[in-house]
Amino acid sequence: MYRLNSYLKTNKYEFLVAAGVATTVQFVRYSYIPVYLFLLALFFISFYIYKPKIRFDALNFVPMFFYVSLALISLLLLNVSLNKDKAIIGIINAFVFPALFYVFLISCNGNFILKIEKIWLFLLAIASVVCIFEFLYYIAFKSLRERTISIFFNPNTFAFFLVMVYPLVINKLKDEKSKLLVSFLIFIEILLSGSRTGFVVYIFEFFLINIYLIRKNILKVFLAVAGILTIFLPKILYRIPSLSDVTNPKTAVGQRVFVIEFVLRYFSHRSLFEGIGAGQFELFFRKLKAPGLVALHSAHNLFLNALIEYGIIGYMILVFIVYFSVFLSAYNFFKHKEEYDRNIFIGFILITIFQMFDMAEITNSRMLLINMLYTFYLFLPIYRFKRWRAIDGKYF
């Protein structure tokens, strides 16, 4: 734990940036403009002070191809979009700012990449503190059934952030005690979020990343997990769906089953190339005025959402960038057997699984921070691959 503390305390400016991001993002509740202005100012100041050099090569171009292609497809679909303003804002949230962040990342050197990683860890620390105070508030004034959202706007988004940032924080911890302590802390936060997808995905992530450590401390891990699950048993039982929920479209589980059928039926009557436009799923679904159904904000599945909003071409581009990144992460790990690469590889796989059950609203302004963290994940395998090539005396 001391290594993490000393690592985080090396520069106070990273903490100030993280605090600024966490604070500014809250303005999304009322207007996305302050967030846009803050990020643009941050990019401008960073480029002005550090004067990074932009370096494009074939590998760096792959994520840019993803962002530019999806943005162009979204623009081409503006004429069929039910709300053009929402579509344009969605393009900015999902593709423009993440692309700007990616351009900034590929222009940074190794030391600056470490600074950016540090900012994500500071955001985790801030989110964890807010989560604890939020839970204490619920205990004092409400009940254990409440779901904490921390600095985010949705408990599933909070859980997704925790799953994404977990490999990054584990990579900075060296001693076993610190790894277990931080892992259990994040596990508690996942439980407090009430996210069923987050709970299942994190369990796999925790065991896969720490498989050797768990085997070595099997009794301690078993007692800690059993104790946490026992303490939060009422909250867990409350979130367990019943069999009837599967067929009830008014429940969260039933919605996920229903939306799969809905998307497949949609394309049974239309061409696979007929997307409805960026961020248009909710408006399109409301327009149908289906009786007895709860309005759906998204397809609860990033891949299905991409298919119906951007058509088969957009869907294929999304699948390509995901599996390209997973493949490159796997190559880095199996080629060099580094723990860092293994954790990123596992994290990428489980993030992808999470996206199959949620996190489809990438065009929402409240997802902007998550979109940029995902951009960092797209960047890491390429950065690590080029780093290994340089160490081996090869250049791409």
Side-chain angles (χ1 to χ4, degrees), residues 8 14-23 25-26 116-130 150-152 158 161-162 165 189 369-370 373:
L8 293 179
E14 284 85 359
F15 177 77
L16 293 176
V17 171
V21 171
T23 303
V25 166
Q26 306 311 306
I116 295 173
E117 275 194 337
K118 200 183 303 181
I119 292 173
W120 292 121
L121 300 188
F122 276 129
L123 278 171
L124 171 63
I126 295 170
S128 299
V129 171
V130 174
S150 189
I151 62 174
F152 299 91
F158 177 40
F161 170 77
L162 294 174
V165 82
E189 293 179 47
L369 184 60
I370 297 296
L373 179 53

PDB file of all heavy atoms in Angstrom, residues 8 14-23 25-26 116-130 150-152 158 161-162 165 189 369-370 373:
ATOM      1  N   LEU A   8       1.042   7.885  -5.830  1.00  0.00           N
ATOM      2  CA  LEU A   8      -0.019   8.863  -6.035  1.00  0.00           C
ATOM      3  C   LEU A   8       0.369  10.255  -5.547  1.00  0.00           C
ATOM      4  O   LEU A   8      -0.166  11.244  -6.021  1.00  0.00           O
ATOM      5  CB  LEU A   8      -1.289   8.400  -5.328  1.00  0.00           C
ATOM      6  CG  LEU A   8      -1.943   7.144  -5.899  1.00  0.00           C
ATOM      7  CD1 LEU A   8      -3.172   6.776  -5.082  1.00  0.00           C
ATOM      8  CD2 LEU A   8      -2.332   7.337  -7.350  1.00  0.00           C
ATOM      9  N   GLU A  14      -1.968  16.120 -10.734  1.00  0.00           N
ATOM     10  CA  GLU A  14      -2.814  15.036 -11.225  1.00  0.00           C
ATOM     11  C   GLU A  14      -4.089  14.929 -10.393  1.00  0.00           C
ATOM     12  O   GLU A  14      -5.178  14.708 -10.933  1.00  0.00           O
ATOM     13  CB  GLU A  14      -2.057  13.707 -11.201  1.00  0.00           C
ATOM     14  CG  GLU A  14      -1.049  13.543 -12.318  1.00  0.00           C
ATOM     15  CD  GLU A  14       0.281  14.171 -11.982  1.00  0.00           C
ATOM     16  OE1 GLU A  14       0.394  14.757 -10.880  1.00  0.00           O
ATOM     17  OE2 GLU A  14       1.211  14.080 -12.804  1.00  0.00           O
ATOM     18  N   PHE A  15      -3.946  15.087  -9.090  1.00  0.00           N
ATOM     19  CA  PHE A  15      -5.132  15.037  -8.226  1.00  0.00           C
ATOM     20  C   PHE A  15      -6.060  16.208  -8.524  1.00  0.00           C
ATOM     21  O   PHE A  15      -7.285  16.043  -8.554  1.00  0.00           O
ATOM     22  CB  PHE A  15      -4.734  15.062  -6.749  1.00  0.00           C
ATOM     23  CG  PHE A  15      -5.915  15.082  -5.818  1.00  0.00           C
ATOM     24  CD1 PHE A  15      -6.629  13.928  -5.566  1.00  0.00           C
ATOM     25  CD2 PHE A  15      -6.309  16.264  -5.209  1.00  0.00           C
ATOM     26  CE1 PHE A  15      -7.732  13.941  -4.724  1.00  0.00           C
ATOM     27  CE2 PHE A  15      -7.412  16.292  -4.371  1.00  0.00           C
ATOM     28  CZ  PHE A  15      -8.114  15.122  -4.124  1.00  0.00           C
ATOM     29  N   LEU A  16      -5.499  17.393  -8.758  1.00  0.00           N
ATOM     30  CA  LEU A  16      -6.330  18.555  -9.068  1.00  0.00           C
ATOM     31  C   LEU A  16      -7.083  18.357 -10.377  1.00  0.00           C
ATOM     32  O   LEU A  16      -8.261  18.728 -10.497  1.00  0.00           O
ATOM     33  CB  LEU A  16      -5.460  19.814  -9.144  1.00  0.00           C
ATOM     34  CG  LEU A  16      -4.827  20.283  -7.829  1.00  0.00           C
ATOM     35  CD1 LEU A  16      -3.914  21.472  -8.065  1.00  0.00           C
ATOM     36  CD2 LEU A  16      -5.920  20.638  -6.817  1.00  0.00           C
ATOM     37  N   VAL A  17      -6.415  17.757 -11.365  1.00  0.00           N
ATOM     38  CA  VAL A  17      -7.090  17.479 -12.640  1.00  0.00           C
ATOM     39  C   VAL A  17      -8.215  16.480 -12.430  1.00  0.00           C
ATOM     40  O   VAL A  17      -9.331  16.654 -12.932  1.00  0.00           O
ATOM     41  CB  VAL A  17      -6.088  16.950 -13.686  1.00  0.00           C
ATOM     42  CG1 VAL A  17      -6.829  16.451 -14.925  1.00  0.00           C
ATOM     43  CG2 VAL A  17      -5.105  18.035 -14.073  1.00  0.00           C
ATOM     44  N   ALA A  18      -7.927  15.399 -11.669  1.00  0.00           N
ATOM     45  CA  ALA A  18      -8.956  14.390 -11.402  1.00  0.00           C
ATOM     46  C   ALA A  18     -10.133  14.992 -10.654  1.00  0.00           C
ATOM     47  O   ALA A  18     -11.292  14.723 -10.978  1.00  0.00           O
ATOM     48  CB  ALA A  18      -8.348  13.236 -10.599  1.00  0.00           C
ATOM     49  N   ALA A  19      -9.851  15.827  -9.648  1.00  0.00           N
ATOM     50  CA  ALA A  19     -10.927  16.477  -8.896  1.00  0.00           C
ATOM     51  C   ALA A  19     -11.720  17.411  -9.801  1.00  0.00           C
ATOM     52  O   ALA A  19     -12.957  17.491  -9.709  1.00  0.00           O
ATOM     53  CB  ALA A  19     -10.350  17.243  -7.713  1.00  0.00           C
ATOM     54  N   GLY A  20     -11.003  18.106 -10.695  1.00  0.00           N
ATOM     55  CA  GLY A  20     -11.690  18.987 -11.644  1.00  0.00           C
ATOM     56  C   GLY A  20     -12.589  18.224 -12.586  1.00  0.00           C
ATOM     57  O   GLY A  20     -13.719  18.657 -12.877  1.00  0.00           O
ATOM     58  N   VAL A  21     -12.100  17.083 -13.072  1.00  0.00           N
ATOM     59  CA  VAL A  21     -12.924  16.241 -13.956  1.00  0.00           C
ATOM     60  C   VAL A  21     -14.161  15.735 -13.217  1.00  0.00           C
ATOM     61  O   VAL A  21     -15.282  15.832 -13.726  1.00  0.00           O
ATOM     62  CB  VAL A  21     -12.093  15.056 -14.484  1.00  0.00           C
ATOM     63  CG1 VAL A  21     -13.001  14.056 -15.215  1.00  0.00           C
ATOM     64  CG2 VAL A  21     -10.990  15.536 -15.411  1.00  0.00           C
ATOM     65  N   ALA A  22     -13.958  15.205 -12.009  1.00  0.00           N
ATOM     66  CA  ALA A  22     -15.081  14.662 -11.232  1.00  0.00           C
ATOM     67  C   ALA A  22     -16.112  15.728 -10.930  1.00  0.00           C
ATOM     68  O   ALA A  22     -17.325  15.471 -10.960  1.00  0.00           O
ATOM     69  CB  ALA A  22     -14.557  14.054  -9.924  1.00  0.00           C
ATOM     70  N   THR A  23     -15.642  16.938 -10.632  1.00  0.00           N
ATOM     71  CA  THR A  23     -16.562  18.042 -10.320  1.00  0.00           C
ATOM     72  C   THR A  23     -17.277  18.546 -11.562  1.00  0.00           C
ATOM     73  O   THR A  23     -18.500  18.730 -11.565  1.00  0.00           O
ATOM     74  CB  THR A  23     -15.790  19.202  -9.667  1.00  0.00           C
ATOM     75  OG1 THR A  23     -15.121  18.728  -8.489  1.00  0.00           O
ATOM     76  CG2 THR A  23     -16.742  20.336  -9.286  1.00  0.00           C
ATOM     77  N   VAL A  25     -17.852  17.079 -14.403  1.00  0.00           N
ATOM     78  CA  VAL A  25     -18.776  16.107 -14.994  1.00  0.00           C
ATOM     79  C   VAL A  25     -20.169  16.224 -14.370  1.00  0.00           C
ATOM     80  O   VAL A  25     -21.170  15.917 -15.019  1.00  0.00           O
ATOM     81  CB  VAL A  25     -18.211  14.680 -14.828  1.00  0.00           C
ATOM     82  CG1 VAL A  25     -19.275  13.631 -15.110  1.00  0.00           C
ATOM     83  CG2 VAL A  25     -17.052  14.468 -15.768  1.00  0.00           C
ATOM     84  N   GLN A  26     -20.244  16.690 -13.126  1.00  0.00           N
ATOM     85  CA  GLN A  26     -21.548  16.821 -12.474  1.00  0.00           C
ATOM     86  C   GLN A  26     -22.440  17.850 -13.170  1.00  0.00           C
ATOM     87  O   GLN A  26     -23.663  17.807 -13.045  1.00  0.00           O
ATOM     88  CB  GLN A  26     -21.373  17.192 -10.994  1.00  0.00           C
ATOM     89  CG  GLN A  26     -20.475  16.244 -10.212  1.00  0.00           C
ATOM     90  CD  GLN A  26     -20.826  14.787 -10.427  1.00  0.00           C
ATOM     91  OE1 GLN A  26     -21.958  14.371 -10.236  1.00  0.00           O
ATOM     92  NE2 GLN A  26     -19.826  14.005 -10.838  1.00  0.00           N
ATOM     93  N   ILE A 116      -1.339  10.074 -16.838  1.00  0.00           N
ATOM     94  CA  ILE A 116      -2.751   9.883 -17.183  1.00  0.00           C
ATOM     95  C   ILE A 116      -3.324   8.695 -16.422  1.00  0.00           C
ATOM     96  O   ILE A 116      -4.464   8.737 -15.929  1.00  0.00           O
ATOM     97  CB  ILE A 116      -2.899   9.692 -18.704  1.00  0.00           C
ATOM     98  CG1 ILE A 116      -2.476  10.968 -19.430  1.00  0.00           C
ATOM     99  CG2 ILE A 116      -4.342   9.330 -19.069  1.00  0.00           C
ATOM    100  CD1 ILE A 116      -2.421  10.851 -20.925  1.00  0.00           C
ATOM    101  N   GLU A 117      -2.545   7.625 -16.302  1.00  0.00           N
ATOM    102  CA  GLU A 117      -2.983   6.489 -15.482  1.00  0.00           C
ATOM    103  C   GLU A 117      -3.244   6.927 -14.051  1.00  0.00           C
ATOM    104  O   GLU A 117      -4.197   6.505 -13.404  1.00  0.00           O
ATOM    105  CB  GLU A 117      -1.920   5.395 -15.499  1.00  0.00           C
ATOM    106  CG  GLU A 117      -2.020   4.449 -16.673  1.00  0.00           C
ATOM    107  CD  GLU A 117      -1.177   3.208 -16.469  1.00  0.00           C
ATOM    108  OE1 GLU A 117      -0.206   3.260 -15.679  1.00  0.00           O
ATOM    109  OE2 GLU A 117      -1.484   2.175 -17.085  1.00  0.00           O
ATOM    110  N   LYS A 118      -2.385   7.799 -13.561  1.00  0.00           N
ATOM    111  CA  LYS A 118      -2.516   8.276 -12.197  1.00  0.00           C
ATOM    112  C   LYS A 118      -3.821   9.057 -12.015  1.00  0.00           C
ATOM    113  O   LYS A 118      -4.481   8.970 -10.968  1.00  0.00           O
ATOM    114  CB  LYS A 118      -1.322   9.159 -11.854  1.00  0.00           C
ATOM    115  CG  LYS A 118      -1.075   9.344 -10.369  1.00  0.00           C
ATOM    116  CD  LYS A 118       0.088  10.298 -10.124  1.00  0.00           C
ATOM    117  CE  LYS A 118       1.351   9.807 -10.817  1.00  0.00           C
ATOM    118  NZ  LYS A 118       2.489  10.744 -10.544  1.00  0.00           N
ATOM    119  N   ILE A 119      -4.221   9.806 -13.027  1.00  0.00           N
ATOM    120  CA  ILE A 119      -5.470  10.566 -12.947  1.00  0.00           C
ATOM    121  C   ILE A 119      -6.660   9.618 -12.825  1.00  0.00           C
ATOM    122  O   ILE A 119      -7.602   9.865 -12.056  1.00  0.00           O
ATOM    123  CB  ILE A 119      -5.612  11.485 -14.175  1.00  0.00           C
ATOM    124  CG1 ILE A 119      -4.553  12.592 -14.118  1.00  0.00           C
ATOM    125  CG2 ILE A 119      -7.012  12.092 -14.248  1.00  0.00           C
ATOM    126  CD1 ILE A 119      -4.491  13.459 -15.352  1.00  0.00           C
ATOM    127  N   TRP A 120      -6.628   8.505 -13.576  1.00  0.00           N
ATOM    128  CA  TRP A 120      -7.712   7.527 -13.459  1.00  0.00           C
ATOM    129  C   TRP A 120      -7.774   6.950 -12.047  1.00  0.00           C
ATOM    130  O   TRP A 120      -8.860   6.721 -11.497  1.00  0.00           O
ATOM    131  CB  TRP A 120      -7.527   6.397 -14.464  1.00  0.00           C
ATOM    132  CG  TRP A 120      -7.704   6.801 -15.898  1.00  0.00           C
ATOM    133  CD1 TRP A 120      -6.786   6.691 -16.902  1.00  0.00           C
ATOM    134  CD2 TRP A 120      -8.861   7.396 -16.497  1.00  0.00           C
ATOM    135  NE1 TRP A 120      -7.293   7.174 -18.081  1.00  0.00           N
ATOM    136  CE2 TRP A 120      -8.578   7.607 -17.868  1.00  0.00           C
ATOM    137  CE3 TRP A 120     -10.112   7.764 -16.014  1.00  0.00           C
ATOM    138  CZ2 TRP A 120      -9.488   8.174 -18.745  1.00  0.00           C
ATOM    139  CZ3 TRP A 120     -11.029   8.337 -16.899  1.00  0.00           C
ATOM    140  CH2 TRP A 120     -10.718   8.535 -18.243  1.00  0.00           C
ATOM    141  N   LEU A 121      -6.616   6.729 -11.438  1.00  0.00           N
ATOM    142  CA  LEU A 121      -6.592   6.191 -10.077  1.00  0.00           C
ATOM    143  C   LEU A 121      -7.098   7.221  -9.071  1.00  0.00           C
ATOM    144  O   LEU A 121      -7.771   6.867  -8.101  1.00  0.00           O
ATOM    145  CB  LEU A 121      -5.173   5.747  -9.712  1.00  0.00           C
ATOM    146  CG  LEU A 121      -4.549   4.667 -10.599  1.00  0.00           C
ATOM    147  CD1 LEU A 121      -3.232   4.190 -10.004  1.00  0.00           C
ATOM    148  CD2 LEU A 121      -5.494   3.503 -10.795  1.00  0.00           C
ATOM    149  N   PHE A 122      -6.774   8.481  -9.293  1.00  0.00           N
ATOM    150  CA  PHE A 122      -7.311   9.522  -8.421  1.00  0.00           C
ATOM    151  C   PHE A 122      -8.831   9.594  -8.547  1.00  0.00           C
ATOM    152  O   PHE A 122      -9.545   9.803  -7.569  1.00  0.00           O
ATOM    153  CB  PHE A 122      -6.694  10.874  -8.763  1.00  0.00           C
ATOM    154  CG  PHE A 122      -5.363  11.120  -8.121  1.00  0.00           C
ATOM    155  CD1 PHE A 122      -4.280  11.535  -8.870  1.00  0.00           C
ATOM    156  CD2 PHE A 122      -5.186  10.931  -6.759  1.00  0.00           C
ATOM    157  CE1 PHE A 122      -3.047  11.771  -8.278  1.00  0.00           C
ATOM    158  CE2 PHE A 122      -3.959  11.154  -6.152  1.00  0.00           C
ATOM    159  CZ  PHE A 122      -2.888  11.576  -6.917  1.00  0.00           C
ATOM    160  N   LEU A 123      -9.338   9.434  -9.762  1.00  0.00           N
ATOM    161  CA  LEU A 123     -10.788   9.410  -9.959  1.00  0.00           C
ATOM    162  C   LEU A 123     -11.418   8.252  -9.199  1.00  0.00           C
ATOM    163  O   LEU A 123     -12.505   8.382  -8.625  1.00  0.00           O
ATOM    164  CB  LEU A 123     -11.120   9.310 -11.452  1.00  0.00           C
ATOM    165  CG  LEU A 123     -11.083  10.619 -12.234  1.00  0.00           C
ATOM    166  CD1 LEU A 123     -11.200  10.345 -13.736  1.00  0.00           C
ATOM    167  CD2 LEU A 123     -12.208  11.546 -11.790  1.00  0.00           C
ATOM    168  N   LEU A 124     -10.745   7.101  -9.194  1.00  0.00           N
ATOM    169  CA  LEU A 124     -11.225   5.966  -8.414  1.00  0.00           C
ATOM    170  C   LEU A 124     -11.273   6.313  -6.930  1.00  0.00           C
ATOM    171  O   LEU A 124     -12.237   5.990  -6.238  1.00  0.00           O
ATOM    172  CB  LEU A 124     -10.319   4.753  -8.639  1.00  0.00           C
ATOM    173  CG  LEU A 124     -10.569   3.551  -7.710  1.00  0.00           C
ATOM    174  CD1 LEU A 124     -11.964   2.988  -7.919  1.00  0.00           C
ATOM    175  CD2 LEU A 124      -9.505   2.483  -7.916  1.00  0.00           C
ATOM    176  N   ALA A 125     -10.217   6.974  -6.423  1.00  0.00           N
ATOM    177  CA  ALA A 125     -10.185   7.355  -5.011  1.00  0.00           C
ATOM    178  C   ALA A 125     -11.333   8.308  -4.674  1.00  0.00           C
ATOM    179  O   ALA A 125     -12.012   8.145  -3.656  1.00  0.00           O
ATOM    180  CB  ALA A 125      -8.836   8.000  -4.688  1.00  0.00           C
ATOM    181  N   ILE A 126     -11.566   9.289  -5.543  1.00  0.00           N
ATOM    182  CA  ILE A 126     -12.658  10.243  -5.314  1.00  0.00           C
ATOM    183  C   ILE A 126     -14.007   9.535  -5.358  1.00  0.00           C
ATOM    184  O   ILE A 126     -14.874   9.743  -4.500  1.00  0.00           O
ATOM    185  CB  ILE A 126     -12.604  11.370  -6.367  1.00  0.00           C
ATOM    186  CG1 ILE A 126     -11.328  12.195  -6.186  1.00  0.00           C
ATOM    187  CG2 ILE A 126     -13.839  12.261  -6.269  1.00  0.00           C
ATOM    188  CD1 ILE A 126     -11.070  13.173  -7.313  1.00  0.00           C
ATOM    189  N   ALA A 127     -14.190   8.669  -6.361  1.00  0.00           N
ATOM    190  CA  ALA A 127     -15.446   7.928  -6.489  1.00  0.00           C
ATOM    191  C   ALA A 127     -15.684   7.024  -5.289  1.00  0.00           C
ATOM    192  O   ALA A 127     -16.821   6.873  -4.828  1.00  0.00           O
ATOM    193  CB  ALA A 127     -15.439   7.101  -7.774  1.00  0.00           C
ATOM    194  N   SER A 128     -14.630   6.428  -4.750  1.00  0.00           N
ATOM    195  CA  SER A 128     -14.758   5.536  -3.599  1.00  0.00           C
ATOM    196  C   SER A 128     -15.183   6.302  -2.353  1.00  0.00           C
ATOM    197  O   SER A 128     -16.040   5.853  -1.592  1.00  0.00           O
ATOM    198  CB  SER A 128     -13.431   4.816  -3.337  1.00  0.00           C
ATOM    199  OG  SER A 128     -13.057   4.032  -4.446  1.00  0.00           O
ATOM    200  N   VAL A 129     -14.585   7.470  -2.136  1.00  0.00           N
ATOM    201  CA  VAL A 129     -14.948   8.298  -0.974  1.00  0.00           C
ATOM    202  C   VAL A 129     -16.411   8.722  -1.059  1.00  0.00           C
ATOM    203  O   VAL A 129     -17.156   8.640  -0.083  1.00  0.00           O
ATOM    204  CB  VAL A 129     -14.025   9.528  -0.883  1.00  0.00           C
ATOM    205  CG1 VAL A 129     -14.539  10.504   0.177  1.00  0.00           C
ATOM    206  CG2 VAL A 129     -12.602   9.099  -0.558  1.00  0.00           C
ATOM    207  N   VAL A 130     -16.827   9.170  -2.252  1.00  0.00           N
ATOM    208  CA  VAL A 130     -18.226   9.581  -2.437  1.00  0.00           C
ATOM    209  C   VAL A 130     -19.161   8.404  -2.217  1.00  0.00           C
ATOM    210  O   VAL A 130     -20.225   8.543  -1.604  1.00  0.00           O
ATOM    211  CB  VAL A 130     -18.429  10.181  -3.840  1.00  0.00           C
ATOM    212  CG1 VAL A 130     -19.904  10.475  -4.098  1.00  0.00           C
ATOM    213  CG2 VAL A 130     -17.596  11.445  -4.008  1.00  0.00           C
ATOM    214  N   SER A 150     -22.169   7.128  -6.717  1.00  0.00           N
ATOM    215  CA  SER A 150     -20.909   7.863  -6.559  1.00  0.00           C
ATOM    216  C   SER A 150     -20.916   9.115  -7.431  1.00  0.00           C
ATOM    217  O   SER A 150     -21.900   9.844  -7.448  1.00  0.00           O
ATOM    218  CB  SER A 150     -19.726   6.949  -6.868  1.00  0.00           C
ATOM    219  OG  SER A 150     -18.514   7.571  -6.536  1.00  0.00           O
ATOM    220  N   ILE A 151     -19.841   9.375  -8.194  1.00  0.00           N
ATOM    221  CA  ILE A 151     -19.755  10.594  -9.002  1.00  0.00           C
ATOM    222  C   ILE A 151     -20.438  10.424 -10.352  1.00  0.00           C
ATOM    223  O   ILE A 151     -20.403  11.327 -11.195  1.00  0.00           O
ATOM    224  CB  ILE A 151     -18.297  11.028  -9.204  1.00  0.00           C
ATOM    225  CG1 ILE A 151     -17.510   9.952  -9.952  1.00  0.00           C
ATOM    226  CG2 ILE A 151     -17.638  11.349  -7.880  1.00  0.00           C
ATOM    227  CD1 ILE A 151     -16.091  10.352 -10.315  1.00  0.00           C
ATOM    228  N   PHE A 152     -21.051   9.255 -10.579  1.00  0.00           N
ATOM    229  CA  PHE A 152     -21.693   8.982 -11.852  1.00  0.00           C
ATOM    230  C   PHE A 152     -23.207   9.196 -11.738  1.00  0.00           C
ATOM    231  O   PHE A 152     -23.702   9.660 -10.731  1.00  0.00           O
ATOM    232  CB  PHE A 152     -21.345   7.569 -12.318  1.00  0.00           C
ATOM    233  CG  PHE A 152     -19.861   7.383 -12.520  1.00  0.00           C
ATOM    234  CD1 PHE A 152     -19.048   6.928 -11.493  1.00  0.00           C
ATOM    235  CD2 PHE A 152     -19.272   7.703 -13.730  1.00  0.00           C
ATOM    236  CE1 PHE A 152     -17.686   6.789 -11.673  1.00  0.00           C
ATOM    237  CE2 PHE A 152     -17.904   7.565 -13.919  1.00  0.00           C
ATOM    238  CZ  PHE A 152     -17.115   7.099 -12.883  1.00  0.00           C
ATOM    239  N   PHE A 158     -21.391   3.334 -12.735  1.00  0.00           N
ATOM    240  CA  PHE A 158     -20.403   3.308 -11.649  1.00  0.00           C
ATOM    241  C   PHE A 158     -19.719   1.942 -11.588  1.00  0.00           C
ATOM    242  O   PHE A 158     -18.491   1.849 -11.479  1.00  0.00           O
ATOM    243  CB  PHE A 158     -21.108   3.633 -10.327  1.00  0.00           C
ATOM    244  CG  PHE A 158     -20.216   3.562  -9.118  1.00  0.00           C
ATOM    245  CD1 PHE A 158     -18.914   4.039  -9.161  1.00  0.00           C
ATOM    246  CD2 PHE A 158     -20.674   3.016  -7.933  1.00  0.00           C
ATOM    247  CE1 PHE A 158     -18.088   3.982  -8.044  1.00  0.00           C
ATOM    248  CE2 PHE A 158     -19.864   2.950  -6.816  1.00  0.00           C
ATOM    249  CZ  PHE A 158     -18.561   3.429  -6.871  1.00  0.00           C
ATOM    250  N   PHE A 161     -17.300   1.535 -14.467  1.00  0.00           N
ATOM    251  CA  PHE A 161     -16.068   2.273 -14.206  1.00  0.00           C
ATOM    252  C   PHE A 161     -15.150   1.472 -13.286  1.00  0.00           C
ATOM    253  O   PHE A 161     -13.943   1.381 -13.519  1.00  0.00           O
ATOM    254  CB  PHE A 161     -16.398   3.628 -13.575  1.00  0.00           C
ATOM    255  CG  PHE A 161     -15.191   4.359 -13.051  1.00  0.00           C
ATOM    256  CD1 PHE A 161     -14.335   5.022 -13.916  1.00  0.00           C
ATOM    257  CD2 PHE A 161     -14.913   4.381 -11.691  1.00  0.00           C
ATOM    258  CE1 PHE A 161     -13.220   5.696 -13.439  1.00  0.00           C
ATOM    259  CE2 PHE A 161     -13.805   5.043 -11.201  1.00  0.00           C
ATOM    260  CZ  PHE A 161     -12.957   5.714 -12.074  1.00  0.00           C
ATOM    261  N   LEU A 162     -15.718   0.872 -12.237  1.00  0.00           N
ATOM    262  CA  LEU A 162     -14.917   0.084 -11.303  1.00  0.00           C
ATOM    263  C   LEU A 162     -14.282  -1.123 -11.985  1.00  0.00           C
ATOM    264  O   LEU A 162     -13.113  -1.442 -11.748  1.00  0.00           O
ATOM    265  CB  LEU A 162     -15.787  -0.369 -10.128  1.00  0.00           C
ATOM    266  CG  LEU A 162     -16.312   0.734  -9.205  1.00  0.00           C
ATOM    267  CD1 LEU A 162     -17.271   0.150  -8.174  1.00  0.00           C
ATOM    268  CD2 LEU A 162     -15.165   1.460  -8.509  1.00  0.00           C
ATOM    269  N   VAL A 165     -11.402   0.243 -14.263  1.00  0.00           N
ATOM    270  CA  VAL A 165     -10.232   0.820 -13.610  1.00  0.00           C
ATOM    271  C   VAL A 165      -9.499  -0.202 -12.733  1.00  0.00           C
ATOM    272  O   VAL A 165      -8.337   0.014 -12.371  1.00  0.00           O
ATOM    273  CB  VAL A 165     -10.644   2.059 -12.781  1.00  0.00           C
ATOM    274  CG1 VAL A 165     -11.202   1.672 -11.419  1.00  0.00           C
ATOM    275  CG2 VAL A 165      -9.485   3.040 -12.635  1.00  0.00           C
ATOM    276  N   GLU A 189     -17.871  -1.837  -3.179  1.00  0.00           N
ATOM    277  CA  GLU A 189     -18.467  -0.764  -3.970  1.00  0.00           C
ATOM    278  C   GLU A 189     -19.341  -1.323  -5.088  1.00  0.00           C
ATOM    279  O   GLU A 189     -20.393  -0.756  -5.412  1.00  0.00           O
ATOM    280  CB  GLU A 189     -17.365   0.123  -4.543  1.00  0.00           C
ATOM    281  CG  GLU A 189     -16.600   0.901  -3.481  1.00  0.00           C
ATOM    282  CD  GLU A 189     -15.496   1.751  -4.078  1.00  0.00           C
ATOM    283  OE1 GLU A 189     -15.753   2.453  -5.071  1.00  0.00           O
ATOM    284  OE2 GLU A 189     -14.365   1.715  -3.562  1.00  0.00           O
ATOM    285  N   LEU A 369     -17.128  10.489 -19.790  1.00  0.00           N
ATOM    286  CA  LEU A 369     -15.947  10.076 -19.027  1.00  0.00           C
ATOM    287  C   LEU A 369     -15.634   8.599 -19.261  1.00  0.00           C
ATOM    288  O   LEU A 369     -14.468   8.212 -19.430  1.00  0.00           O
ATOM    289  CB  LEU A 369     -16.168  10.342 -17.540  1.00  0.00           C
ATOM    290  CG  LEU A 369     -14.985  10.050 -16.612  1.00  0.00           C
ATOM    291  CD1 LEU A 369     -13.782  10.906 -16.989  1.00  0.00           C
ATOM    292  CD2 LEU A 369     -15.372  10.287 -15.160  1.00  0.00           C
ATOM    293  N   ILE A 370     -16.677   7.760 -19.289  1.00  0.00           N
ATOM    294  CA  ILE A 370     -16.494   6.336 -19.551  1.00  0.00           C
ATOM    295  C   ILE A 370     -15.967   6.114 -20.972  1.00  0.00           C
ATOM    296  O   ILE A 370     -15.098   5.267 -21.208  1.00  0.00           O
ATOM    297  CB  ILE A 370     -17.815   5.578 -19.350  1.00  0.00           C
ATOM    298  CG1 ILE A 370     -18.281   5.694 -17.894  1.00  0.00           C
ATOM    299  CG2 ILE A 370     -17.686   4.120 -19.754  1.00  0.00           C
ATOM    300  CD1 ILE A 370     -17.360   5.043 -16.895  1.00  0.00           C
ATOM    301  N   LEU A 373     -12.309   6.767 -20.948  1.00  0.00           N
ATOM    302  CA  LEU A 373     -11.581   5.681 -20.304  1.00  0.00           C
ATOM    303  C   LEU A 373     -11.472   4.484 -21.250  1.00  0.00           C
ATOM    304  O   LEU A 373     -10.437   3.813 -21.308  1.00  0.00           O
ATOM    305  CB  LEU A 373     -12.273   5.269 -19.001  1.00  0.00           C
ATOM    306  CG  LEU A 373     -11.646   4.120 -18.208  1.00  0.00           C
ATOM    307  CD1 LEU A 373     -10.163   4.377 -17.943  1.00  0.00           C
ATOM    308  CD2 LEU A 373     -12.389   3.892 -16.898  1.00  0.00           C
TER     309      LEU A 373
END
